[in-house]
């Protein structure tokens, strides 16, 4: 018989995996892995500001991640620096400012390791409600912009000609990413969010025949990673968040084996 906290962790992890699967596909298609890192690193600044101003952790993290997204789009329009340089500046600046703020708040005892690597076993019923409620909203918005975002991933010029407004769609997608980071921070932590976004989507790409199939498969592989990682963590007494990501890596490696056999024959 599994403990209640383990069942809550399973339910929360499955809900998160279902949400990040389709978003992760666009991260892979649009080559935005570094943007995912930037969102994740900005989360620590959101955590620090949440404690400083005594507001909800998810609101603080979402607010900072959304602000970073808007700042990135503004700086991109100036074309003074390439996007990868801007992402590097924003990512490391937000992370450093967050760490400095945490250091200044000496009156607080903050479990930095918990925020960096997550603690899925500590999720509450309220956290689960937030994950599923926020997840449904994120997926609903993604469904509305799916066609425009997919077209822009292929060619922004073509999407512009078709009247799909790629810039607006890109901004909405970035805000959805900020929402996922805010939801995921307690489960897999700041440093592992990008891995959960990218690895299941990369695994799904091997088997997908259409973008929609890839999105569904990415969620399925994410769910498998959560379930396998949590049970491995229970069996071998390893950290839960990293165990989930390790399981995702194992699935990715296994997905490559048939292709290697095919080439060798």
């Amino acid at each position: 018989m599994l403990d209640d906290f383990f069942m809550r962790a399973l339910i929360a992890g499955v809900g998160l995996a279902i949400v990040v699967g389709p978003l992760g596909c666009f991260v892979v298609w649009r080559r935005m892995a570094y943007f995912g890192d930037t969102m994740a690193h900005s989360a620590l600044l959101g955590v620090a500001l949440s404690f400083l101003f005594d507001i909800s952790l998810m609101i603080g993290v979402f607010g900072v991640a959304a602000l970073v997204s808007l700042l990135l789009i503004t700086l991109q329009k100036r074309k003074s620096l390439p996007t990868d340089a801007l992402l590097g500046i924003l990512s490391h600046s937000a992370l450093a400012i967050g760490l400095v703020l945490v250091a200044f708040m000496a009156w607080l005892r903050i479990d930095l390791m918990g925020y960096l690597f997550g603690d899925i076993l500590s999720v509450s019923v309220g956290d689960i409600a937030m994950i599923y409620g926020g997840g449904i909203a994120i997926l609903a918005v993604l469904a509305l912009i799916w066609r425009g975002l997919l077209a822009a991933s292929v060619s922004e010029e073509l999407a512009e000609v078709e009247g799909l407004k790629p810039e607006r769609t890109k901004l909405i997608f970035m805000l959805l990413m900020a929402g996922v980071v805010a939801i995921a921070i307690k489960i897999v932590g700041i440093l592992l969010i990008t891995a959960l976004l990218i690895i299941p989507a990369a695994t799904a790409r091997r088997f997908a025949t259409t973008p929609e199939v890839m999105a569904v498969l990415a969620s399925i592989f994410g769910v498998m990673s959560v379930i396998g990682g949590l049970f491995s963590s229970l069996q071998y007494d390893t950290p839960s968040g990293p165990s989930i990501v390790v399981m995702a890596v194992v699935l990715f490696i296994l997905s490559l084996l048939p292709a290697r056999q095919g080439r060798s024959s």
Side-chain angles (χ1 to χ4, degrees), residues 5-51:
F5 71 88
F6 190 83
M7 290 303 301
R8 289 196 298 271
L10 274 175
I11 294 170
V14 166
L16 178 63
I18 292 171
V19 176
V20 300
L23 286 173
C25 291
F26 282 105
V27 171
V28 171
W29 292 330
R30 297 174 70 94
R31 300 179 181 178
M32 294 178 67
Y34 203 4
F35 173 73
D37 275 332
T38 302
M39 290 287 93
H41 289 171
S42 70
L44 185 60
L45 177 57
V47 170
L49 292 176
S50 298
F51 282 108

Side-chain angles (χ1 to χ4, degrees), residues 13-237:
V14 166
L16 178 63
I18 292 171
V19 176
V20 300
L23 286 173
C25 291
F26 282 105
V27 171
V28 171
W29 292 330
R30 297 174 70 94
R31 300 179 181 178
M32 294 178 67
Y34 203 4
F35 173 73
D37 275 332
T38 302
M39 290 287 93
H41 289 171
S42 70
L44 185 60
L45 177 57
V47 170
L49 292 176
S50 298
F51 282 108
L52 184 63
F53 295 107
D54 193 24
I55 59 176
S56 166
L57 178 66
M58 287 191 179
I59 292 175
V61 171
F62 175 78
V64 171
L67 182 62
V68 168
S69 299
L70 293 172
L71 189 58
L72 173 63
I73 290 176
T74 301
L75 292 174
Q76 280 179 325
K77 289 180 179 179
R78 294 187 177 184
K79 298 182 179 180
S80 56
L81 284 172
T83 299
D84 60 341
L86 291 174
L87 286 171
I89 293 169
L90 291 173
S91 172
H92 300 302
S93 298
L95 182 62
I97 294 170
L99 288 170
V100 170
L101 276 179
V102 169
F104 272 119
M105 291 187 288
W107 63 91
L108 283 176
R109 294 181 61 87
I110 299 177
D111 180 14
L112 207 54
M113 293 296 289
Y115 289 114
L116 291 175
F117 296 102
D119 187 8
I120 192 172
L121 298 179
S122 69
V123 297
S124 64
V125 175
D127 293 327
I128 292 174
M130 182 68 71
I131 290 166
Y132 279 85
I136 290 171
I138 288 171
L139 290 178
V141 175
L142 183 62
L144 290 175
I145 66 170
W146 179 271
R147 179 170 172 267
L149 193 57
L150 192 60
S153 299
V154 176
S155 170
E156 290 198 1
E157 291 79 9
L158 180 61
E160 188 73 45
V161 169
E162 293 183 359
L164 296 174
K165 300 180 179 178
E167 284 297 321
R168 185 183 68 179
T169 303
K170 180 180 178 181
L171 174 59
I172 295 173
F173 174 70
M174 287 182 171
L175 294 177
L176 293 181
M177 286 282 289
V180 164
V181 170
I183 291 173
I185 184 172
K186 189 171 183 178
I187 296 178
V188 293
I190 293 168
L191 298 181
L192 303 179
I193 292 172
T194 309
L196 198 58
L197 275 164
I198 296 172
I199 299 173
T203 306
R205 193 172 191 174
R206 170 71 177 76
F207 305 101
T209 54
T210 67
E212 291 76 16
V213 170
M214 181 172 164
V216 173
L217 287 177
S219 293
I220 292 172
F221 283 122
V223 169
M224 292 170 63
S225 301
V226 168
I227 295 173
L230 283 176
F231 276 99
S232 297
S233 174
L234 183 65
Q235 178 71 28
Y236 300 108
D237 194 25

